Amino acid sequence: MNLEAIRNDFPILKTQCAGRDVVYFDNAATTQKPLPVLQAAFEYSTHSNGNPHRGAHIFAIAASEAYDGSKETVRRFLNARSTREIIYTRNTTESLNLVARSYGETHLKQGDKILITIAEHHSDLVTWQRVAHKTGAALEYIYVDKETGHFLPEDLKKIDDPAVKIFAFAEVSNVLGIHFDPKPLIERAHAHGAVVVLDGAQSAPHRKVDVQDLDCDFFAFSGHKMCAADGIGVLYGREELLNDMEPFLLGGDMIDLVEEQETRFAELPAKFEAGTQYVEGAVSLEAAIRYVEAIGFDAIREQEQKLVRRTLEGMQQIPHIRIIGPKDPAEKEGLVAFTVKDVHPHDVAQILSAEGICIRTGHHCAEPLHRYLGINASCRASFYFYNTEEEVDYFLEKLKGVRPMMGYGD
Ligand code: PMP
């Protein structure tokens, strides 16, 4: 991997901040966009812009081709059986809401259980809370070991409960950084017919996803976490389940026939894509997939592992840093959440920001997890393939200075 050439594709990384190139370590929140992706979107808007699936003129046709063509790339990226199983949404959040509204609310009832984990992002937690409230189903949690972040083995038995009709979890936790191997968990849930929803927001940008191999029922991810535009996301759904669901948005392009009192919905995937779609975003996502694939997930993993290893080793040398979740780099998927004793995470982030370093602070939309771990908030450094070991060293050096700056001895 030619890191220098890659970084040249990201002019934003050369932004001057505190007398040096900015250090962007907030990739789990959103990634930066390389020139080829921006150019693909620009090219579309300057040569092909139209409303897809409407009209017979050259731009409507060009827009339809761009939109439908990008779907085929996403299908291939996820190894879905058909583009009918690929729904465009705004982001992971909307994808998960779609499943909760269109599947959860209509297929669950009192006596059923929804199983999620305490590590879920709010988009995979608040959504299921509401399904539980509306249907009378119970919402249950798998808890994690507070030190290692692993699922508690006794809690995993909850998956086997035949009352569990939905099992939803993030393949990679955006706080613990762990990749929870989904295949055995999916098999267990399927053994009694539960539907499995995977939140792939933090996995799809970093590792190969094969929905057929995983055998998951739904898989959600966001383009903006893998170099594409904001506002384009994907929901993969198993075709027979999508066919059995009511659309949650109604309007143009999702219909086959409309009469005064009744409507027949369009075939998949249009049934779930009401209104004018974000074609420029779809083009951007296609270009981003091609960009990421050209680098390759092996190279991405190798680079992220180097960065995580250096970060964890460095942090363990700094007194009063608490690393959240596992400390073994092999168990971390490109992100490290941590706290600095007696310093509020917002202060840590502000001190680092003054040095040109961007990290995330807060509860990272995982408030129940933070409460469970006994902390209000944490800091998070998260990497992508364009980050360097030199940046990690600079970050560690400045992190070392945080407590002294706040008046502590070390
Ligand atoms: N799930 C996880 C694990 C995430 O990290 C995020 C983003 N922080 C989301 C879901 C939601 O993604 P988006 O904001 O793009 O909808």
Side-chain angles (χ1 to χ4, degrees), residues 191-202:
H192 61 83
V195 162
V196 182
V197 184
L198 272 191
D199 170 351
Q202 301 294 350

Side-chain angles (χ1 to χ4, degrees), residues 29-90:
T30 200
T31 52
Q32 300 301 346
K33 302 160 188 38
L35 291 172
V37 170
L38 297 168
Q39 277 153 359
F42 182 77
E43 185 72 14
Y44 167 77
S45 290
T46 48
H47 290 88
S48 311
N49 182 49
N51 201 325
H53 310 151
R54 297 158 177 83
H57 58 75
I58 54 165
F59 295 134
I61 293 166
S64 305
E65 282 171 358
Y67 187 76
D68 297 338
S70 71
K71 275 263 168 90
E72 172 52 25
T73 302
V74 176
R75 183 207 65 72
R76 193 185 41 69
F77 180 63
L78 295 179
N79 193 30
R81 289 163 208 83
S82 146
T83 51
R84 289 191 298 280
E85 299 185 315
I86 306 294
I87 316 286
Y88 278 144
T89 60
R90 281 186 302 154

Side-chain angles (χ1 to χ4, degrees), residues 126-182:
V126 183
T127 35
W128 296 112
Q129 252 176 16
R130 189 155 80 176
V131 174
H133 293 159
K134 282 197 166 178
T135 61
L139 180 61
E140 296 204 340
Y141 287 84
I142 292 175
Y143 292 90
V144 297
D145 181 287
K146 289 182 182 170
E147 276 307 306
T148 66
H150 292 184
F151 291 145
L152 296 177
E154 60 271 29
D155 274 10
L156 285 176
K157 294 189 191 126
K158 294 177 185 174
I159 303 172
D160 308 323
D161 182 346
V164 170
K165 300 296 179 206
I166 298 269
F167 177 33
F169 64 101
E171 194 182 354
V172 172
S173 157
N174 65 325
V175 178
L176 304 168
I178 300 187
H179 174 251
F180 295 110
D181 184 10

Side-chain angles (χ1 to χ4, degrees), residues 63 66-67 74 105 121 164 183-184 226 301 355 379 398:
Y67 187 76
V74 176
E105 287 185 14
H121 186 276
V164 170
K183 245 180 118 167
M226 53 175 295
R301 166 107 187 140
E355 303 287 358
C379 303
K398 297 301 170 190

